[in-house]
Amino acid sequence: METKKLIELLGEKLSSFIVKADKMPNNDLLILIKKESLLSVMDTLKNDLELKFNVLMNHLGVDYTESFAVIYNLYSFKLKKKVTVKAYMEHENPEVDSIESVFKGVNWFERETYDLLGIRFRGHSNLKRLLLPSDWEGHPLRKDYIYPEEYNGLILKREENCK
Amino acid sequence: MLERYNIVNRFKEDHLFITTKVETALNLARANSVWYLLMGLACCSIELMQTGGPRADIDRFGSLFRATPRQSDLMIVAGTVTLKMAPRLRRLYDQMADPKYVIAMGSCANCGGPFTHSYSVLKGVDKIIPVDVYLPGCPPRPEALTEALIKIQEKIKKEKYLMKDET
Amino acid sequence: MYSLADIIYRRMTETFGASDFLEPLFTIVSYLLPCIAILGIVSLISGALTLLERKISADIQNRIGPNRVGPFGIFQFIVDGVKLLLKEDIIPDAADKKLFRLAPYIVFSSTVLAVIVIPFGGPFIVADLNIGLLFIVVVSSLVVVGFMMSGWASNNKWALLGGIRSAAQIISYEIPVALSLLTVALITGTFSMQEIVKQQGLYPWQWFILHNPFTFIAFFIYFVSSLAEINRLPFDFPEAESELVSGYNTEYSGMRFGFFFVAEFANIFVSAALAAAVFLGGGNIGIDPYNSPLGYKLLMALVFFAKALSLCLVTIWVRWTLPRLRIDHMMSLCWKYFIPISVFCLVLTAAWLVAFKGNSVFWRIAG
Amino acid sequence: MTEFALEEMILNMGPHHPSTHGVLRFIVRTDGEMMLRATPDVGFLHRGIEKIAELMPYESFMPYTDRIDYLSSLNCNLGYALTVERLAGIEAPEKAEYLRVIGAELTRIGSHLIAVGALLLDLGAVTPFVHALRERETYNSLMEMLCGARLTHHYVRIGGVAFDAPDGFIEKALSFVNHLEYEFLDEFNKLISFNSILIKRLANVGIITPEKALEFTLVGPNLRGSGIKFDLRKDEPYSIYDRFDFEIPSGSGKFGVQGDAYDRYWVRIEEIKQSCRIVRQAINQMPEHGEIKTKISKPFKIPAGEIYVRTECPRGELGFYLISAGGKTPYRLKIRTGSFSAMTIIEELSEGVMVADLVAIIGSLDVVAPEIDR
Amino acid sequence: MNPYGNIFVFFIMGFISVLAGMTLVRIIAPQRPNSEKNMTYECGENPIGSGWINFNARFYLIAILFIIFDVEIILIFPVIVNFRDYLISGRGAAAFAEIFLFVAVLFLGLIYAWANGYLEWLRSVRKQLRVEGRIMRIKEIIREESDMGDLDA
């Protein structure tokens, strides 16, 4: 089952949603979709009888300074193939609907992305900070993040000279 | 409250630590049974376990590991102290019974180590608790930790214990 | 009915001549002397047991145990005790102060009470009460009060869990202990410990463990239940490090914790000594203990200590090999297996005695 | 049946607790014995490695990969090196590949020893834990010979390995592997694995059905414990794993239902055996001499692109999602670890379970703090 | 010289030795209480709620069963002590019958408790949890207070 056949299969199944699809190194396939159609794409990818991408390998958020992106890696036991779904969104208060209803295991992944990047997930059961203390301001993984000088009385000296 | 013994140190002026016979005996006893608190945070905790293991065994120095801070007199801060962990570490240090000592094990505990560029790491545990022995290394070898323990024992042996309680 | 205090009193009146002026002094001294001696011996033994445990556990785990204090680390327990004396004694604000302070008193003195009736071989027994066995069964349940008190008083959830679990465990395992001791009382017909030891002999087939198959089972039930009674692994719930941090003595520090530590090891020695005396014919080498030369008396004491210490070693050895049971396993083990079996042992020993007219299995040799 | 009122109390199995491996905190709602729910609260070891990755050039980020999972640092090195090499299109020489596989499999043995030992320590069996530490000491000295460090190896480089195997390493590794497979594991199994108390404590505890495992994206030994035979070294062979033959052990309900804590424990013991076999085959097939590191351009740059590479770590699939914008440092690096998804299932499994069982479940899932918090 | 005096002396000596130990500690050991130190230990956290909760009724059940069987043991004591004399005087069978009957009746009590599931440590609670509605109700409570996650300071 090479990637070309997979691209046709995906094209025929999700034709309306896919903005762009191209190969990725390490025999992976990148699909770009609009952020509104995320839930339906994920639903078809998982529950479609031919595709059966039932394993969510990884989820991350990326800050592209003028826009945010959300990336999901899926793997199908049936086809033994990997697929990467990517969706862009605007930079001010990024919002995308959570796919916890489709993949239950993504709960903590989305909480971590919200915690470190500030992307809100509509419909997430328990969207709160996961790793940082609950009274922390700012989202560290953003490109424009300034390191805090002091936290609860503990001074945080940060060297500038890390090339 | 009963007045504390004040075994006057006749040579008060020069700060030579002349401990009396009684004090040497007591310090010897305190030095040879230092019970350490199981405070494994990160990579150094694995080396801490290895020091409790068969090869470099710190049970030889009479030091058991205790789970509660109440019964332990040495806290080995083994690993990175993050900002979320700092208030809890300070509380654990406070809850230890009194003649207590601290070994900052590993460069993470000494000065933040490799994570000086991180936003959520406390740069050095001596910002929140007084440290007696700084143990460099990332992670330090079990022999280095044993040597740090011996340094703590030497410090205990030289301590003036039965003095008037100024603090 | 005979006690060490009598001998000392009689010996003193002979030497100093009986005068009613000195009489109250004699009684006090004759009571205090054995008490101080036995207290010293028991605390020494429990200290030695702590050292033994650390050395044996080190040996099992290919480690070297404490060897810096004295040759082979012999004085390690003295050093530990002195260090605990020098530690600060923290009493949490939220704790119930009076109960918190009182708990070690109860635990330590109730452990010490059980030592009165233990026959340390030959004539060395503090007071040979004619209700010896019953006395020990009663006293061993006093310790529960101390554990519950320390668990409840320190107002700490971990300590509370540890305290209630140890109470539930000790009172439920007291029944198999009592029943298995009673199977032996059936054979001897008396509770006085010296009498029980006298009715056994030097050779193993004269001991009560091999008297009949049911006392054999009763010995093992007694030994395992006494493990549970003193909270030793695999029934280690109250101070299960991995679950309840340190159980009922989580909030205790310094010497207050020290007394719990000493009481626990004194308990190990007491239950091992009891098993040695009742089942393994402790200190009986076929000679009348009272009017025999001093050398024989010391030999009897040695034989008793050898048996008691070997059982202590087994307790320590079990601790460092087995994992911990879960609390519902332990409860069902006690109520569904130990109690029915020990009741059967009691009844069937009675049937055995009736059937064989009070003789043991090896009655031809034992004579 | 008498109606027992449930008096709930909130208990803190807090950051400093002997049985939470490292610094994890569980807010446990229990009535003393029975647990209603154990909500995990993580982040006590969050050191922001992903933010540091954006400041560090590729080569100098390697020591941080040691500290992602300090029990299997060489596997993490290997994962990161493979990601960068695949994106940059570099090939490691033959001998370096073999040295990498030998180091990775030895680290898998060392990590499983601590994983199994820590589980047994939580169940109260202290001696097997110390025996595992004794075997790990030999492993430490082996690693010290190979890469100079006991725990954080920093041995793999982009395009090869740092040092060649010193003489005497091969014999020592072979004797370690033989001793482990033929003597230690039998003695270990006799001492503790078939002990009836351990079986009562681990069988039918924390049962994870295959569907639930996939739903919660479990990986590695936790997934295989539920019976799904999925191992990246076989299903997605990377590096030279396709040249060795070894089986994938999977949970088979040995003493209880399939997918219980005993199965996960048993899968780890079997995996130690398989790793020993791989190391033996790798040592035999390794070429005598050959260069161990290909040259890479001095200011090492990678053309823009994205890649997701996952390798089989002792705690499951370690995935690196690397986005490079052509500069010297990665634009974004996401590290997906095995323990992260194992934590989400603990909350699910902890309903109606006793405190002692929660400790067994955490131990059988082999969760390590830095992998969750990074 | 009443041997029972020893019991009193031992108990008092036990008390005195612990008292001596504690006063020695009070004299020698440092005493620097502060509010942080005297806070109860809860794995490094602020303790939530008090430690004094009324624990579950299953411990009470165990206590009841214990009392039944301990009283049984106390009542057997006289028979056991005289059993040997009965044997010698030939009336052993009567003594055995006495023990057997008394113990058998009480053993029935144990069987009754066993059949009704009082000896189960957890089943009784877990069965009660399975009563319909009950599990749903607990799930709602937990869902409402979903921010239980971060109770830290």
Side-chain angles (χ1 to χ4, degrees):
Chain A
M1 176 81 183
E2 327 72 24
T3 40
K4 257 187 309 311
K5 237 163 96 21
L6 183 61
I7 292 181
E8 285 124 28
L9 194 63
L10 285 177
E12 150 221 315
K13 285 266 185 305
L14 314 150
S15 55
S16 58
F17 304 117
I18 295 185
V19 170
K20 185 160 72 68
D22 53 8
K23 280 168 62 65
M24 252 171 83
N26 197 20
N27 56 54
D28 203 338
L29 183 70
L30 179 67
I31 313 174
L32 213 58
I33 55 169
K34 286 189 289 303
K35 106 180 146 97
E36 293 74 21
S37 60
L38 185 64
L39 250 180
S40 50
V41 165
M42 283 295 174
D43 203 25
T44 46
L45 277 177
K46 176 170 184 187
N47 304 330
D48 186 288
L49 287 160
E50 271 167 72
L51 297 172
K52 268 246 166 285
F53 280 93
N54 48 13
V55 172
L56 176 94
M57 290 192 296
N58 179 20
H59 154 74
L60 68 142
V62 188
D63 171 11
Y64 284 110
T65 60
E66 79 285 342
S67 77
F68 274 99
V70 161
I71 300 170
Y72 296 89
N73 296 87
L74 301 176
Y75 178 74
S76 132
F77 271 113
K78 196 155 92 65
L79 309 171
K80 290 266 182 289
K81 292 299 289 178
K82 290 188 279 192
V83 151
T84 314
V85 177
K86 188 167 187 178
Y88 282 92
M89 64 197 79
E90 75 294 349
H91 198 266
E92 288 70 30
N93 53 55
E95 180 97 27
V96 78
D97 37 21
S98 141
I99 60 164
E100 202 189 347
S101 48
V102 179
F103 290 99
K104 206 153 178 298
V106 85
N107 183 331
W108 270 31
F109 282 102
E110 287 178 347
R111 266 182 74 182
E112 189 201 344
T113 317
Y114 163 70
D115 186 0
L116 296 182
L117 268 159
I119 302 172
R120 299 201 58 77
F121 291 89
R122 278 190 302 268
H124 190 282
S125 59
N126 174 15
L127 197 63
K128 279 201 330 311
R129 281 200 181 275
L130 180 72
L131 299 176
L132 289 168
S134 48
D135 55 0
W136 187 275
E137 312 91 27
H139 300 286
L141 273 181
R142 291 192 176 185
K143 293 296 176 189
D144 51 11
Y145 179 72
I146 312 127
Y147 276 38
E149 281 314 309
E150 181 258 352
Y151 168 74
N152 286 7
L154 302 169
I155 297 102
L156 301 169
K157 182 166 58 56
R158 178 183 178 283
E159 283 82 31
E160 301 317 316
N161 48 19
C162 61
K163 287 168 289 313
Chain B
M1 221 267 289
L2 288 167
E3 187 49 55
R4 293 276 312 287
Y5 275 135
N6 180 0
I7 297 175
V8 176
N9 177 358
R10 274 173 283 103
F11 310 101
K12 217 158 180 68
E13 309 78 26
D14 55 9
H15 295 297
L16 190 65
F17 274 117
I18 297 189
T19 51
T20 59
K21 275 280 167 301
V22 169
E23 233 154 32
T24 337
L26 291 184
N27 286 346
L28 205 63
R30 274 183 334 116
N32 275 310
S33 107
V34 182
W35 291 357
Y36 64 95
L37 174 70
L38 204 60
M39 189 73 220
L41 299 169
C43 344
C44 295
S45 61
I46 303 295
E47 286 300 74
L48 185 61
M49 277 195 258
Q50 291 289 358
T51 3
R55 190 163 169 185
D57 176 15
I58 49 176
D59 197 17
R60 287 173 296 160
F61 306 99
S63 58
L64 279 166
F65 76 87
R66 298 304 304 172
T68 65
R70 300 287 192 212
Q71 295 137 18
S72 45
D73 26 303
L74 166 70
M75 170 192 261
I76 301 182
V77 182
T80 325
V81 184
T82 56
L83 291 177
K84 198 172 182 182
M85 191 62 191
R88 288 148 176 93
L89 193 89
R90 173 69 209 181
R91 191 171 299 130
L92 278 173
Y93 175 76
D94 285 339
Q95 285 174 348
M96 280 166 73
D98 217 81
K100 48 193 175 189
Y101 306 91
V102 172
I103 292 182
M105 173 180 179
S107 46
C108 289
N110 293 346
C111 63
F115 300 104
T116 45
H117 316 304
S118 157
Y119 45 86
S120 75
V121 168
L122 182 70
K123 307 297 188 284
V125 87
D126 44 15
K127 285 191 161 60
I128 44 171
I129 51 176
V131 174
D132 294 298
V133 171
Y134 293 91
L135 182 57
C138 184
R141 295 178 59 87
E143 294 81 9
L145 182 61
T146 326
E147 211 240 328
L149 186 72
I150 292 169
K151 279 239 167 352
I152 289 275
Q153 287 184 340
E154 272 148 26
K155 177 177 166 112
I156 294 176
K157 280 179 188 145
K158 287 206 296 295
E159 236 177 12
K160 294 288 296 169
Y161 187 75
L162 291 175
M163 272 303 294
K164 189 97 188 59
D165 186 5
E166 320 82 25
T167 52
Chain C
M1 286 282 287
Y2 147 86
S3 82
L4 215 57
D6 284 350
I7 303 179
I8 298 170
Y9 185 75
R10 236 181 296 111
R11 196 65 56 76
M12 282 178 65
T13 42
E14 278 143 20
T15 49
F16 298 106
S19 69
D20 50 11
F21 164 61
L22 284 175
E23 206 269 345
L25 178 70
F26 289 165
T27 44
I28 291 168
V29 164
S30 62
Y31 273 131
L32 276 184
L33 217 57
C35 173
I36 290 164
I38 295 291
L39 266 183
I41 290 173
V42 165
S43 47
L44 203 68
I45 291 170
S46 80
L49 274 181
T50 47
L51 169 74
L52 216 58
E53 161 141 45
R54 281 172 74 172
K55 289 296 262 187
I56 291 177
S57 75
D59 195 26
I60 292 176
Q61 294 162 357
N62 327 92
R63 286 188 293 119
I64 319 148
N67 59 3
R68 281 298 188 273
V69 188
F72 305 107
I74 292 178
F75 307 122
Q76 182 63 41
F77 65 92
I78 298 172
V79 163
D80 281 348
V82 169
K83 185 215 80 170
L84 283 176
L85 266 175
L86 298 169
K87 289 288 287 185
E88 183 196 4
D89 175 19
I90 301 173
I91 298 175
D93 295 347
D96 173 345
K97 305 276 187 302
K98 279 186 283 308
L99 273 186
F100 190 85
R101 286 196 177 85
L102 200 61
Y105 291 87
I106 303 280
V107 168
F108 190 76
S109 14
S110 59
T111 321
V112 157
L113 273 186
V115 172
I116 297 174
V117 214
I118 294 208
F120 287 98
F124 304 117
I125 183 168
V126 176
D128 179 13
L129 310 174
N130 49 20
I131 51 152
L133 213 56
L134 170 64
F135 177 75
I136 280 204
V137 166
V138 164
V139 155
S140 69
S141 69
L142 262 179
V143 187
V144 180
V145 179
F147 291 148
M148 277 291 280
M149 210 186 273
S150 68
W152 179 265
S154 36
N155 191 0
N156 175 334
K157 297 187 190 61
W158 297 116
L160 182 69
L161 280 182
I164 335 169
R165 278 187 181 184
S166 76
Q169 174 183 326
I170 292 178
I171 57 171
S172 47
Y173 273 91
E174 219 173 278
I175 300 161
V177 160
L179 285 175
S180 45
L181 287 177
L182 288 187
T183 46
V184 170
L186 262 180
I187 302 165
T188 59
T190 120
F191 283 140
S192 107
M193 297 299 277
Q194 287 290 50
E195 197 50 35
I196 293 176
V197 168
K198 206 147 82 57
Q199 290 192 11
Q200 298 173 49
L202 169 67
Y203 305 101
W205 51 83
Q206 291 164 329
W207 297 344
F208 282 141
I209 185 170
L210 299 178
H211 186 275
N212 56 31
F214 309 114
T215 46
F216 188 74
I217 301 169
F219 169 73
F220 287 105
I221 287 192
Y222 171 78
F223 187 70
V224 178
S225 319
S226 75
L227 276 185
E229 191 104 344
I230 42 180
N231 302 337
R232 289 287 292 188
L233 227 96
F235 306 94
D236 191 4
F237 303 104
E239 330 106 12
E241 263 90 20
S242 61
E243 282 146 42
L244 300 178
V245 184
S246 172
Y248 52 82
N249 45 31
T250 314
E251 291 290 345
Y252 281 83
S253 69
M255 202 51 202
R256 231 177 268 282
F257 164 73
F259 282 115
F260 276 110
F261 207 62
V262 167
E264 187 206 336
F265 281 94
N267 250 334
I268 295 174
F269 176 72
V270 161
S271 62
L274 191 58
V278 170
F279 285 100
L280 306 177
N284 179 343
I285 44 174
I287 303 158
D288 176 17
Y290 295 110
N291 36 41
S292 57
L294 186 61
Y296 279 111
K297 287 181 182 161
L298 289 183
L299 183 64
M300 289 191 219
L302 206 63
V303 163
F304 169 77
F305 270 108
K307 290 176 184 169
L309 225 53
S310 56
L311 281 176
C312 287
L313 295 192
V314 172
T315 322
I316 292 171
W317 174 32
V318 158
R319 170 183 180 150
W320 293 104
T321 40
L322 293 179
R324 185 175 301 120
L325 265 174
R326 218 179 31 199
I327 187 157
D328 57 338
H329 298 155
M330 181 262 293
M331 275 304 173
S332 57
L333 176 72
C334 168
W335 291 96
K336 292 187 185 155
Y337 295 97
F338 274 5
I339 291 184
I341 294 175
S342 49
V343 163
F344 288 151
C345 282
L346 183 74
V347 170
L348 293 176
T349 321
W352 174 282
L353 292 176
V354 168
F356 295 94
K357 284 180 278 317
N359 293 333
S360 84
V361 174
F362 307 94
W363 66 277
R364 262 215 201 357
I365 327 162
Chain D
M1 237 331 274
T2 52
E3 181 74 35
F4 287 147
L6 265 182
E7 177 57 44
E8 281 138 25
M9 71 172 175
I10 299 167
L11 198 61
N12 257 312
M13 258 171 90
H16 171 256
H17 185 82
S19 80
T20 53
H21 300 227
V23 270
L24 303 172
R25 174 177 168 224
F26 288 92
I27 298 140
V28 172
R29 294 166 58 92
T30 168
D31 80 333
E33 284 311 317
M34 256 270 291
M35 217 180 301
L36 300 179
R37 194 156 190 78
T39 329
D41 172 17
V42 282
F44 290 98
L45 202 59
H46 174 60
R47 309 184 272 205
I49 289 185
E50 284 161 9
K51 182 77 177 178
I52 292 174
E54 285 158 18
L55 311 170
M56 288 281 167
Y58 289 102
E59 186 69 29
S60 57
F61 180 69
M62 193 62 88
Y64 288 93
T65 55
D66 290 336
R67 284 149 183 87
I68 296 171
D69 175 7
Y70 42 74
L71 278 172
S72 58
S73 34
L74 210 132
N75 301 59
C76 304
N77 288 1
L78 181 59
Y80 178 70
L82 280 176
T83 325
V84 174
E85 282 163 11
R86 289 240 174 99
L87 195 56
I90 306 168
E91 271 302 315
E94 194 65 13
K95 177 150 193 196
E97 290 286 1
Y98 276 102
L99 282 170
R100 281 181 178 179
V101 163
I102 293 173
E105 288 312 315
L106 281 175
T107 319
R108 192 187 308 280
I109 294 172
S111 164
H112 279 328
L113 282 176
I114 287 273
V116 164
L119 166 65
L120 293 171
L121 180 70
D122 293 346
L123 299 182
V126 181
T127 317
F129 176 66
V130 182
H131 287 173
L133 284 184
R134 178 194 66 205
E135 295 310 319
R136 205 178 135 81
E137 276 297 331
T138 7
Y139 155 75
N140 278 346
S141 51
L142 265 173
M143 278 298 140
E144 214 175 328
M145 279 172 79
L146 190 65
C147 7
R150 293 161 53 90
L151 193 67
T152 49
H153 307 309
H154 185 41
Y155 176 62
V156 180
R157 294 291 183 277
I158 295 171
V161 255
F163 317 102
D164 198 346
D167 44 24
F169 170 75
I170 300 294
E171 293 73 26
K172 206 153 182 276
L174 266 179
S175 70
F176 170 63
V177 161
N178 294 341
H179 158 70
L180 208 59
E181 190 172 3
Y182 301 123
E183 289 148 15
F184 173 70
L185 277 182
D186 303 340
E187 172 209 300
F188 195 79
N189 289 343
K190 270 204 222 72
L191 170 69
I192 193 76
S193 294
F194 306 126
N195 181 314
S196 61
I197 295 179
L198 187 78
I199 291 168
K200 266 180 99 68
R201 277 300 293 279
L202 281 181
N204 302 327
V205 164
I207 296 159
I208 305 178
T209 58
E211 300 75 30
K212 190 190 265 190
L214 280 178
E215 193 190 330
F216 278 91
T217 65
L218 281 187
V219 276
N222 303 336
L223 185 67
R224 289 192 284 277
S226 311
I228 301 173
K229 267 191 177 342
F230 179 75
D231 186 327
L232 289 171
R233 293 172 294 176
K234 268 273 196 264
D235 298 319
E236 237 178 64
Y238 52 93
S239 162
I240 46 166
Y241 271 106
D242 41 18
R243 298 185 195 158
F244 311 112
D245 77 84
F246 56 95
E247 295 101 29
I248 312 287
S250 80
S252 58
K254 200 167 162 62
F255 284 107
V257 178
Q258 188 184 34
D260 58 6
Y262 195 86
D263 277 353
R264 288 189 286 277
Y265 165 82
W266 190 247
V267 158
R268 289 201 176 84
I269 297 263
E270 290 301 313
E271 267 183 21
I272 293 180
K273 286 201 179 99
Q274 297 308 323
S275 298
C276 295
R277 283 180 57 195
I278 297 176
V279 169
R280 207 172 289 119
Q281 289 165 34
I283 283 180
N284 301 343
Q285 298 170 10
M286 186 160 82
E288 258 320 295
H289 22 64
E291 39 138 304
I292 52 166
K293 188 169 183 312
T294 58
K295 283 279 157 295
I296 53 172
S297 60
K298 208 58 225 119
F300 181 66
K301 282 198 172 61
I302 296 184
E306 310 179 6
I307 189 169
Y308 180 70
V309 172
R310 49 183 192 160
T311 53
E312 185 64 33
C313 264
R315 273 162 198 75
E317 165 200 315
L318 179 77
F320 285 90
Y321 195 97
L322 176 64
I323 303 174
S324 100
K328 284 210 298 299
T329 67
Y331 187 78
R332 168 80 160 101
L333 177 75
K334 162 76 183 184
I335 305 157
R336 189 265 196 243
T337 52
S339 312
F340 191 74
S341 46
M343 274 303 282
T344 45
I345 207 163
I346 288 179
E347 189 170 2
E348 182 77 22
L349 290 175
S350 72
E351 248 157 51
V353 148
M354 298 175 60
V355 180
D357 286 345
L358 178 71
V359 164
I361 291 170
I362 296 170
S364 72
L365 285 169
D366 182 18
V367 186
V368 172
E371 275 213 330
I372 303 161
D373 308 341
R374 285 180 302 281
Chain E
M1 286 310 292
N2 175 348
Y4 288 100
N6 281 311
I7 304 174
F8 177 70
V9 167
F10 262 68
F11 198 77
I12 294 300
M13 275 310 286
F15 249 73
I16 286 169
S17 50
V18 176
L19 201 67
M22 293 325 284
T23 41
L24 196 60
V25 162
R26 185 178 294 273
I27 293 168
I28 290 184
Q31 202 67 9
R32 296 192 196 92
N34 63 42
S35 70
E36 270 299 319
K37 179 178 292 186
N38 288 349
M39 212 167 61
T40 47
Y41 164 76
E42 180 106 3
C43 302
E45 283 297 321
N46 282 338
I48 307 156
S50 105
W52 288 333
I53 59 148
N54 33 19
F55 39 82
N56 201 292
R58 65 173 76 85
F59 294 102
Y60 176 70
L61 198 64
I62 295 286
I64 295 275
L65 283 173
F66 163 70
I67 289 170
I68 298 168
F69 283 92
D70 226 15
V71 165
E72 172 199 356
I73 293 170
I74 301 295
L75 291 183
I76 299 180
F77 273 121
V79 178
I80 285 180
V81 171
N82 305 327
F83 192 81
R84 195 173 172 78
D85 315 337
Y86 273 72
L87 265 182
I88 296 159
S89 64
R91 284 174 288 126
F96 170 70
E98 199 175 305
I99 286 188
F100 179 75
L101 282 178
F102 183 75
V103 167
V105 165
L106 270 145
F107 199 69
L108 280 179
L110 184 66
I111 303 290
Y112 171 78
W114 196 336
N116 272 10
Y118 295 126
L119 300 188
E120 294 296 322
W121 186 247
L122 265 187
R123 201 182 58 77
S124 54
V125 175
R126 194 169 281 138
K127 196 162 83 65
Q128 171 223 323
L129 263 183
R130 283 288 179 281
V131 169
E132 14 28 47
R134 185 83 189 189
I135 289 246
M136 290 305 128
R137 204 178 67 70
I138 287 180
K139 278 224 161 51
E140 286 122 26
I141 305 171
I142 293 159
R143 194 59 64 225
E144 286 143 26
E145 301 147 356
S146 65
D147 59 359
M148 295 298 280
D150 54 353
L151 279 170
D152 44 24

